[in-house]
Amino acid sequence: MPQETQTAVNWALHQQYQVDPGVTANVFDIYKDMASALVDTVRDYFNTNNITYSTFSYIDLEPYL
Amino acid sequence: MLVTLSGSNLTDASGVITRRIQNKVTIANAVAITDTANHEYNLITQGGLTEDQIRRYSDFKISIKSTCDQAANVVVYTAMAAHNVTTATTSGQLYSETSNLPANPGGFLIMQSGVNATGAGTTSKSVPALKSVHSNLIIRVTFPVAPTTGSVTITVEMNG
């Protein structure tokens, strides 16, 4: 995992996640056990900050939780 | 395990009620795929089940959720018990379709043994071969165009 992973995870846990795009009601705070939301948001952090990464999953983020 | 077609319990010859067994395992937990390679997941390696445990079930439902920004091809294989139960082989291919896992939104795919009725969702696939005894099921996910966002989750429900 990139060296920025801890920063990405910490940031993601303070974000909100929209389950269904376009449906305002389906926006939730992200918690540690929300695997898909957490992975997607960490990935967004990597993309936004031009961080190179390879395929990863929730289990790869568990050491940072 | 003996059950009626309605799912109610039967008794054995001594009158003891037999019990159905059911299970659910996640074999891919929010995988952020970044390439066009084949990604395979199965009930033994990722699901943590043994061949014997899997063979106790006779009906399987596979659910896949993708929040990725690209569509994917999903192929389902049954294990070749005479070969290697964690290897996908052409002769073990049960179901295959191009772009059957849509991009987000709507990135859902269900594969189950029942026959879909009129009005069933287009991403609910009937795979009669899932109602059988298997030593393992292998699901292959391939993105023809590498996704840049999102992840894939695969869950298998089993009924015995």
Coordinates of all heavy atoms in Angstrom, one line a residue, chain B residues 52-113:
Chain B
D52 N -15.4 -30.5 1.7 CA -16.5 -31.2 2.3 C -17.6 -30.3 2.8 O -18.8 -30.6 2.6 CB -15.9 -32.0 3.5 CG -15.2 -33.2 3.1 OD1 -15.3 -33.6 2.0 OD2 -14.4 -33.7 4.0
Q53 N -17.3 -29.1 3.3 CA -18.3 -28.2 3.7 C -19.1 -27.7 2.5 O -20.3 -27.6 2.6 CB -17.6 -27.0 4.4 CG -17.0 -27.3 5.8 CD -16.3 -26.2 6.4 OE1 -15.5 -25.5 5.7 NE2 -16.4 -26.0 7.7
I54 N -18.5 -27.4 1.4 CA -19.2 -26.9 0.3 C -20.1 -28.0 -0.3 O -21.2 -27.7 -0.7 CB -18.2 -26.5 -0.8 CG1 -17.3 -25.3 -0.3 CG2 -18.9 -26.0 -2.1 CD1 -16.1 -24.9 -1.2
R55 N -19.7 -29.2 -0.3 CA -20.5 -30.3 -0.8 C -21.8 -30.6 0.0 O -22.7 -31.3 -0.5 CB -19.7 -31.5 -1.0 CG -18.8 -31.5 -2.2 CD -18.2 -32.9 -2.5 NE -17.2 -33.3 -1.5 CZ -15.9 -33.1 -1.7 NH1 -15.5 -32.5 -2.8 NH2 -15.1 -33.5 -0.8
R56 N -21.8 -30.0 1.2 CA -23.1 -30.2 2.0 C -24.2 -29.3 1.5 O -25.3 -29.5 1.9 CB -22.8 -29.9 3.4 CG -21.8 -30.8 4.1 CD -21.4 -30.5 5.5 NE -20.4 -31.3 6.0 CZ -19.8 -31.1 7.2 NH1 -20.2 -30.2 8.0 NH2 -18.8 -31.9 7.6
Y57 N -23.9 -28.3 0.7 CA -24.9 -27.5 0.1 C -25.2 -27.9 -1.3 O -24.4 -28.4 -2.0 CB -24.4 -26.0 0.1 CG -24.0 -25.5 1.5 CD1 -22.7 -25.5 1.9 CD2 -25.0 -25.1 2.4 CE1 -22.3 -25.1 3.2 CE2 -24.7 -24.6 3.7 CZ -23.3 -24.7 4.1 OH -23.0 -24.3 5.3
S58 N -26.5 -27.6 -1.7 CA -26.9 -28.0 -3.0 C -27.5 -26.9 -3.8 O -28.0 -27.1 -4.9 CB -27.9 -29.2 -2.9 OG -29.0 -28.8 -2.1
D59 N -27.5 -25.7 -3.3 CA -28.1 -24.5 -4.0 C -27.3 -23.3 -3.6 O -27.0 -23.0 -2.4 CB -29.5 -24.4 -3.7 CG -30.3 -23.6 -4.8 OD1 -29.6 -23.1 -5.7 OD2 -31.5 -23.4 -4.6
F60 N -26.9 -22.5 -4.6 CA -26.0 -21.4 -4.4 C -26.5 -20.2 -5.1 O -27.0 -20.2 -6.2 CB -24.6 -21.7 -5.0 CG -23.9 -22.9 -4.3 CD1 -24.2 -24.2 -4.7 CD2 -22.9 -22.7 -3.3 CE1 -23.6 -25.3 -4.1 CE2 -22.3 -23.8 -2.8 CZ -22.7 -25.1 -3.2
K61 N -26.4 -19.0 -4.4 CA -26.7 -17.8 -5.0 C -25.5 -16.8 -4.9 O -25.0 -16.6 -3.8 CB -27.9 -17.1 -4.4 CG -28.3 -15.8 -5.0 CD -29.7 -15.3 -4.6 CE -29.7 -14.8 -3.2 NZ -31.1 -14.3 -2.8
I62 N -25.1 -16.3 -6.0 CA -23.9 -15.4 -6.0 C -24.4 -14.0 -6.3 O -25.1 -13.7 -7.2 CB -22.9 -15.8 -7.1 CG1 -22.6 -17.3 -7.0 CG2 -21.7 -14.9 -7.1 CD1 -21.9 -17.9 -8.2
S63 N -24.0 -13.1 -5.4 CA -24.3 -11.6 -5.5 C -23.1 -10.8 -5.7 O -22.1 -11.0 -4.9 CB -25.1 -11.2 -4.3 OG -26.2 -12.0 -4.0
I64 N -23.1 -10.0 -6.7 CA -21.9 -9.1 -6.9 C -22.3 -7.7 -6.9 O -23.3 -7.3 -7.6 CB -21.2 -9.5 -8.2 CG1 -20.8 -11.0 -8.2 CG2 -19.9 -8.6 -8.4 CD1 -20.1 -11.4 -9.5
K65 N -21.6 -6.8 -6.2 CA -21.9 -5.4 -6.2 C -20.6 -4.7 -6.7 O -19.5 -5.0 -6.2 CB -22.3 -4.8 -4.8 CG -22.5 -3.3 -4.8 CD -22.8 -2.8 -3.4 CE -21.4 -2.6 -2.7 NZ -21.6 -1.8 -1.4
S66 N -20.8 -3.8 -7.7 CA -19.6 -3.0 -8.2 C -20.0 -1.6 -8.1 O -21.0 -1.2 -8.6 CB -19.3 -3.5 -9.6 OG -18.3 -2.6 -10.1
T67 N -19.1 -0.8 -7.5 CA -19.2 0.7 -7.6 C -18.2 1.2 -8.5 O -17.9 2.4 -8.5 CB -19.0 1.3 -6.2 OG1 -17.7 0.8 -5.7 CG2 -20.1 0.8 -5.2
C68 N -17.6 0.4 -9.4 CA -16.6 0.8 -10.3 C -17.2 1.6 -11.5 O -18.4 1.5 -11.8 CB -15.8 -0.4 -10.9 SG -14.8 -1.2 -9.6
D69 N -16.3 2.4 -12.1 CA -16.8 3.3 -13.2 C -16.7 2.6 -14.6 O -16.8 3.2 -15.6 CB -16.0 4.6 -13.2 CG -14.5 4.3 -13.3 OD1 -14.0 3.2 -13.1 OD2 -13.8 5.3 -13.6
Q70 N -16.5 1.3 -14.6 CA -16.5 0.5 -15.8 C -17.3 -0.8 -15.6 O -17.4 -1.3 -14.5 CB -15.0 0.1 -16.2 CG -14.1 1.3 -16.5 CD -14.5 2.0 -17.8 OE1 -15.2 1.4 -18.7 NE2 -14.2 3.3 -17.9
A71 N -17.8 -1.3 -16.7 CA -18.5 -2.6 -16.7 C -17.5 -3.7 -16.7 O -16.3 -3.5 -17.1 CB -19.4 -2.7 -17.9
A72 N -17.9 -4.9 -16.2 CA -17.0 -6.0 -16.1 C -17.6 -7.3 -16.7 O -18.8 -7.4 -16.7 CB -16.5 -6.3 -14.7
N73 N -16.8 -8.2 -17.0 CA -17.2 -9.5 -17.5 C -17.1 -10.5 -16.3 O -16.0 -10.6 -15.7 CB -16.4 -10.1 -18.6 CG -16.4 -9.1 -19.8 OD1 -17.4 -8.4 -20.0 ND2 -15.3 -9.1 -20.6
V74 N -18.2 -11.2 -16.0 CA -18.1 -12.2 -14.9 C -18.4 -13.6 -15.4 O -19.3 -13.8 -16.2 CB -19.2 -11.8 -13.8 CG1 -19.2 -12.9 -12.7 CG2 -18.9 -10.5 -13.2
V75 N -17.5 -14.5 -15.0 CA -17.7 -15.9 -15.4 C -17.7 -16.8 -14.1 O -16.9 -16.5 -13.2 CB -16.5 -16.4 -16.3 CG1 -16.7 -17.8 -16.8 CG2 -16.3 -15.4 -17.5
V76 N -18.6 -17.7 -14.1 CA -18.7 -18.6 -13.0 C -18.3 -20.0 -13.4 O -18.7 -20.6 -14.4 CB -20.1 -18.7 -12.5 CG1 -20.2 -19.7 -11.3 CG2 -20.6 -17.3 -12.0
Y77 N -17.4 -20.6 -12.6 CA -16.9 -22.0 -12.9 C -17.2 -22.9 -11.7 O -17.2 -22.4 -10.5 CB -15.4 -22.0 -13.0 CG -14.8 -21.1 -14.1 CD1 -14.6 -19.7 -13.9 CD2 -14.5 -21.6 -15.4 CE1 -14.1 -18.9 -14.9 CE2 -14.0 -20.8 -16.4 CZ -13.8 -19.5 -16.2 OH -13.3 -18.7 -17.2
T78 N -17.5 -24.2 -12.0 CA -17.5 -25.1 -11.0 C -16.2 -25.9 -10.9 O -15.5 -25.9 -12.0 CB -18.6 -26.2 -11.2 OG1 -18.7 -27.1 -10.1 CG2 -18.4 -27.0 -12.5
A79 N -15.8 -26.3 -9.8 CA -14.5 -27.0 -9.6 C -14.5 -28.3 -10.4 O -15.5 -29.0 -10.5 CB -14.2 -27.2 -8.2
M80 N -13.3 -28.7 -10.9 CA -13.1 -30.0 -11.5 C -12.6 -30.9 -10.4 O -11.4 -30.8 -10.1 CB -12.1 -29.9 -12.7 CG -12.8 -29.3 -13.9 SD -13.9 -30.4 -14.7 CE -12.8 -31.6 -15.4
A81 N -13.4 -31.7 -9.8 CA -13.0 -32.5 -8.7 C -11.9 -33.5 -9.1 O -11.1 -33.9 -8.2 CB -14.2 -33.2 -8.1
A82 N -11.8 -33.8 -10.4 CA -10.8 -34.7 -10.8 C -9.5 -34.0 -11.1 O -8.5 -34.7 -11.4 CB -11.3 -35.5 -12.0
H83 N -9.5 -32.7 -11.0 CA -8.3 -31.9 -11.4 C -7.8 -31.1 -10.2 O -7.2 -31.7 -9.3 CB -8.7 -31.0 -12.6 CG -7.5 -30.2 -13.1 ND1 -6.3 -30.7 -13.3 CD2 -7.5 -28.9 -13.3 CE1 -5.5 -29.7 -13.7 NE2 -6.2 -28.6 -13.7
N84 N -8.1 -29.9 -10.1 CA -7.7 -29.0 -9.0 C -8.9 -28.1 -8.7 O -9.4 -27.4 -9.5 CB -6.5 -28.1 -9.5 CG -6.1 -27.2 -8.4 OD1 -6.8 -26.7 -7.6 ND2 -4.8 -26.9 -8.3
V85 N -9.4 -28.3 -7.5 CA -10.7 -27.6 -7.2 C -10.6 -26.1 -7.0 O -11.6 -25.5 -6.9 CB -11.3 -28.2 -5.9 CG1 -11.6 -29.7 -6.1 CG2 -10.3 -28.0 -4.7
T86 N -9.4 -25.5 -7.1 CA -9.3 -24.1 -7.0 C -8.9 -23.5 -8.4 O -8.7 -22.3 -8.5 CB -8.3 -23.6 -6.0 OG1 -7.0 -24.2 -6.3 CG2 -8.8 -24.1 -4.6
T87 N -8.9 -24.3 -9.4 CA -8.5 -23.8 -10.8 C -9.7 -23.7 -11.7 O -10.5 -24.7 -11.7 CB -7.5 -24.8 -11.4 OG1 -6.3 -24.8 -10.6 CG2 -7.1 -24.3 -12.8
A88 N -9.9 -22.6 -12.3 CA -11.0 -22.4 -13.3 C -10.6 -23.1 -14.6 O -9.5 -22.8 -15.2 CB -11.2 -20.9 -13.5
T89 N -11.5 -24.0 -15.1 CA -11.2 -24.7 -16.3 C -12.4 -24.4 -17.3 O -13.5 -24.3 -16.9 CB -11.1 -26.2 -16.1 OG1 -12.3 -26.7 -15.6 CG2 -9.9 -26.5 -15.2
T90 N -12.1 -24.5 -18.6 CA -13.1 -24.2 -19.6 C -14.3 -25.1 -19.5 O -15.4 -24.7 -19.6 CB -12.5 -24.3 -21.0 OG1 -11.4 -23.4 -21.1 CG2 -13.5 -23.9 -22.0
S91 N -14.0 -26.4 -19.2 CA -15.1 -27.4 -19.1 C -15.9 -27.2 -17.9 O -17.0 -27.8 -17.8 CB -14.5 -28.8 -19.2 OG -13.5 -29.0 -18.2
G92 N -15.4 -26.4 -16.9 CA -16.1 -26.2 -15.7 C -16.9 -24.9 -15.7 O -17.6 -24.5 -14.8
Q93 N -16.9 -24.2 -16.9 CA -17.6 -22.9 -17.0 C -19.1 -23.1 -17.0 O -19.7 -23.9 -17.8 CB -17.2 -22.3 -18.3 CG -17.7 -20.9 -18.5 CD -17.0 -20.2 -19.6 OE1 -15.7 -20.1 -19.7 NE2 -17.7 -19.7 -20.6
L94 N -19.8 -22.5 -16.0 CA -21.3 -22.6 -15.9 C -22.0 -21.5 -16.5 O -23.1 -21.6 -17.0 CB -21.6 -22.7 -14.4 CG -21.1 -23.8 -13.6 CD1 -21.6 -23.8 -12.2 CD2 -21.4 -25.2 -14.2
Y95 N -21.4 -20.3 -16.5 CA -22.1 -19.1 -17.0 C -21.1 -18.0 -17.4 O -20.1 -17.8 -16.6 CB -23.1 -18.5 -15.9 CG -23.5 -17.1 -16.2 CD1 -24.4 -16.8 -17.2 CD2 -23.1 -16.1 -15.4 CE1 -24.8 -15.5 -17.5 CE2 -23.5 -14.8 -15.6 CZ -24.3 -14.5 -16.7 OH -24.7 -13.2 -16.9
S96 N -21.3 -17.4 -18.5 CA -20.4 -16.3 -18.9 C -21.2 -15.4 -19.8 O -22.1 -15.8 -20.6 CB -19.3 -16.9 -19.7 OG -18.5 -15.9 -20.3
E97 N -21.0 -14.1 -19.6 CA -21.7 -13.1 -20.5 C -20.8 -11.8 -20.4 O -20.3 -11.5 -19.4 CB -23.1 -12.8 -19.9 CG -24.0 -12.1 -20.8 CD -25.4 -12.1 -20.3 OE1 -25.7 -12.6 -19.2 OE2 -26.3 -11.6 -21.0
T98 N -20.7 -11.1 -21.5 CA -20.0 -9.9 -21.6 C -20.7 -8.8 -20.9 O -21.9 -8.6 -21.1 CB -19.7 -9.6 -23.1 OG1 -19.0 -10.7 -23.7 CG2 -18.9 -8.3 -23.2
S99 N -19.9 -8.0 -20.2 CA -20.5 -6.8 -19.5 C -21.7 -7.1 -18.7 O -22.6 -6.3 -18.6 CB -20.8 -5.7 -20.5 OG -19.6 -5.3 -21.2
N100 N -21.7 -8.3 -18.0 CA -22.9 -8.6 -17.2 C -22.9 -7.9 -15.9 O -23.9 -7.9 -15.2 CB -23.0 -10.2 -17.1 CG -21.7 -10.8 -16.7 OD1 -20.7 -10.1 -16.5 ND2 -21.7 -12.1 -16.6
L101 N -21.7 -7.4 -15.5 CA -21.7 -6.6 -14.3 C -21.6 -5.1 -14.7 O -20.5 -4.7 -15.1 CB -20.5 -7.0 -13.4 CG -20.3 -6.2 -12.1 CD1 -21.5 -6.4 -11.2 CD2 -19.0 -6.7 -11.4
P102 N -22.7 -4.4 -14.6 CA -22.6 -3.0 -15.1 C -21.8 -2.1 -14.3 O -21.4 -2.4 -13.2 CB -24.1 -2.5 -15.0 CG -24.9 -3.8 -14.9 CD -24.0 -4.8 -14.2
A103 N -21.5 -0.9 -14.9 CA -20.7 0.1 -14.2 C -21.7 0.8 -13.2 O -22.9 0.7 -13.3 CB -20.1 1.1 -15.1
N104 N -21.1 1.5 -12.2 CA -21.9 2.2 -11.2 C -22.5 3.4 -11.9 O -21.8 4.1 -12.7 CB -21.0 2.7 -10.1 CG -21.7 3.1 -8.9 OD1 -22.7 2.5 -8.5 ND2 -21.3 4.2 -8.3
P105 N -23.8 3.8 -11.7 CA -24.7 3.2 -10.8 C -25.4 2.0 -11.4 O -25.3 1.8 -12.6 CB -25.8 4.3 -10.5 CG -25.7 5.1 -11.8 CD -24.3 5.1 -12.2
G106 N -25.9 1.1 -10.6 CA -26.6 -0.1 -11.1 C -25.6 -1.2 -11.3 O -25.9 -2.2 -12.0
G107 N -24.5 -1.2 -10.6 CA -23.5 -2.2 -10.7 C -23.8 -3.4 -9.8 O -23.1 -3.7 -8.9
F108 N -24.9 -4.1 -10.2 CA -25.3 -5.3 -9.4 C -25.5 -6.5 -10.4 O -25.9 -6.4 -11.5 CB -26.6 -5.1 -8.7 CG -26.6 -3.9 -7.8 CD1 -27.1 -2.7 -8.2 CD2 -26.1 -4.0 -6.5 CE1 -27.1 -1.6 -7.3 CE2 -26.0 -3.0 -5.6 CZ -26.5 -1.7 -6.0
L109 N -25.2 -7.7 -9.9 CA -25.3 -8.9 -10.6 C -25.7 -10.0 -9.6 O -25.0 -10.2 -8.7 CB -24.1 -9.3 -11.4 CG -24.1 -10.6 -12.2 CD1 -25.2 -10.6 -13.2 CD2 -22.7 -10.9 -12.8
I110 N -26.8 -10.7 -9.9 CA -27.2 -11.9 -9.1 C -27.3 -13.1 -10.0 O -27.9 -13.0 -11.1 CB -28.5 -11.6 -8.4 CG1 -28.4 -10.5 -7.3 CG2 -29.0 -12.9 -7.7 CD1 -29.7 -10.2 -6.7
M111 N -26.7 -14.2 -9.5 CA -26.8 -15.4 -10.3 C -27.3 -16.5 -9.3 O -26.7 -16.7 -8.3 CB -25.4 -15.8 -10.8 CG -24.8 -14.9 -11.8 SD -23.0 -14.9 -12.0 CE -22.5 -13.9 -10.6
Q112 N -28.5 -17.0 -9.7 CA -29.1 -18.0 -8.9 C -29.8 -19.1 -9.7 O -29.9 -18.9 -11.0 CB -30.1 -17.3 -7.9 CG -31.0 -16.3 -8.6 CD -32.1 -16.8 -9.4 OE1 -32.7 -17.8 -9.0 NE2 -32.4 -16.2 -10.5
S113 N -30.2 -20.2 -9.1 CA -30.6 -21.3 -9.9 C -32.1 -21.3 -10.3 O -32.5 -22.0 -11.2 CB -30.4 -22.6 -9.0 OG -31.2 -22.5 -7.9

